[in-house]
Amino acid sequence: MPCTDCDCGHSVCCERELGLIRCVMFDLGNVLVLYNTPLFYSRLESRKRNETPVREILDGKYRSAFVDFELGKISAGEFFDRTRYTLQLDMSFEEFMSAFIENGIMTPDPVMLELKRGLKERGMKLILVTNNNPAHTEFIRRQYPEVMYGFDYEAVSYEMHMRKPDDPEIFIRPMVSLGLKAENCLFIDDNKQNVTAFRNLGGLGYHYNVRDRDDHLRISVDSVIRERRHFIAMCKNLGLINGWPEI
């Protein structure tokens, strides 16, 4: 039966994998940094001039522009132009980018950052594997350097021109670079499909589900607290950390 401690998808993960894990691979959004996507949508809602639902640009019929932005195929200006056309936005590029990245859109999770730092101090290899665009990534690098601290490899979709879960090379390339196999790695992501893709390579995966049950775009505080506890318990069971305070 599945592991009940950590939802890793393995039957006896923490016993079987004990001592094998040499690397933790982190997703960025809604793992290390919490995204307030509804806030971004609300900023666009009053500035659009048609009936197209705002959420369609990131998570629906018109998401191709966002995917292209994350793949590094288009610039921020082109992403804005396509989004402005789709929603008939009455706003400038500068206003759009401010709505997209500033004033509460991204908030680092101090508990997960402290866990990452503790793993690094214990000699664990750290890899970032994220589907992300240059606007968000550069803002985080500039405003929150602690988020990017300690990574031995940063696999960012727009820099590598590949995305999870469609291209397993985004996992494979950093592992090969660091002399690792999938069985040596634990991957944490808020998207279940991404976790499944990594498990299919033979690695250990944890679905870090912090979304609200009634609105999958909204982050639930209760879910964040629960997932922190479960993932820290998993790391303890795997022998990756010890003496970690209860949260």
Side-chain angles (χ1 to χ4, degrees):
M1 61 185 296
C3 175
T4 57
D5 290 332
C6 57
D7 186 34
C8 65
H10 291 246
S11 58
V12 285
C13 73
C14 297
E15 294 178 10
R16 195 193 73 176
E17 308 291 343
L18 187 63
L20 291 180
I21 302 300
R22 297 165 46 203
C23 173
V24 179
M25 307 172 79
F26 285 92
D27 179 31
L28 184 62
N30 294 332
V31 176
L32 297 176
V33 177
L34 301 176
Y35 278 44
N36 191 342
T37 304
L39 177 60
F40 171 57
Y41 288 162
S42 71
R43 292 171 176 175
L44 299 190
E45 189 65 42
S46 63
R47 306 293 295 274
K48 71 185 184 74
R49 297 293 179 261
N50 62 22
E51 300 302 315
T52 302
V54 173
R55 67 172 55 199
E56 292 288 321
I57 64 171
L58 300 189
D59 192 46
K61 181 178 179 181
Y62 300 104
R63 69 188 297 264
S64 62
F66 185 64
V67 171
D68 286 346
F69 194 28
E70 287 194 331
L71 282 169
K73 291 182 175 181
I74 62 174
S75 67
E78 290 170 310
F79 173 57
F80 166 65
D81 287 341
R82 288 169 62 175
T83 303
R84 180 175 58 178
Y85 176 80
T86 298
L87 298 177
Q88 293 296 294
L89 290 174
D90 179 21
M91 64 194 314
S92 68
F93 171 72
E94 290 74 20
E95 290 173 319
F96 176 81
M97 293 310 295
S98 177
F100 188 53
I101 65 175
E102 295 179 352
N103 300 320
I105 295 296
M106 293 170 278
T107 304
D109 184 332
V111 174
M112 293 301 287
L113 294 184
E114 180 64 16
L115 175 63
K116 177 170 69 73
R117 186 187 64 80
L119 291 167
K120 184 69 175 178
E121 290 180 352
R122 288 179 61 85
M124 194 66 48
K125 294 291 185 183
L126 300 179
I127 297 174
L128 176 69
V129 185
T130 177
N131 291 344
N132 225 314
N133 62 79
H136 282 167
T137 304
E138 291 308 316
F139 181 83
I140 291 170
R141 285 172 172 160
R142 183 173 64 253
Q143 295 294 123
Y144 306 118
E146 67 274 17
V147 172
M148 303 306 235
Y149 164 78
F151 285 114
D152 298 284
Y153 197 110
E154 295 178 9
V156 184
S157 62
Y158 82 89
E159 295 175 335
M160 298 182 69
H161 309 294
M162 57 185 72
R163 294 177 81 250
K164 305 168 293 184
D166 301 324
D167 196 334
E169 184 69 17
I170 199 169
F171 299 112
I172 295 169
R173 190 175 299 177
M175 289 191 294
V176 170
S177 177
L178 297 176
L180 299 164
K181 296 180 180 179
E183 66 190 39
N184 303 133
C185 301
L186 165 63
F187 174 57
I188 174 174
D189 196 296
D190 71 312
N191 184 305
K192 195 167 187 176
Q193 290 181 320
N194 297 339
V195 173
T196 298
F198 186 69
R199 289 173 181 166
N200 289 341
L201 294 175
L204 190 62
Y206 181 85
H207 179 213
Y208 194 79
N209 184 14
V210 297
R211 298 179 187 274
D212 188 275
R213 291 182 179 179
D214 299 321
D215 182 356
H216 78 281
L217 294 177
R218 189 176 300 278
I219 302 303
S220 162
V221 173
D222 289 341
S223 295
V224 171
I225 294 171
R226 180 198 66 230
E227 292 299 323
R228 285 171 176 167
R229 287 174 174 164
H230 287 180
F231 186 66
I232 288 171
M234 181 181 190
C235 289
K236 286 181 177 179
N237 291 340
L238 288 166
L240 306 184
I241 57 174
N242 54 37
W244 199 262
E246 296 297 326
I247 61 170

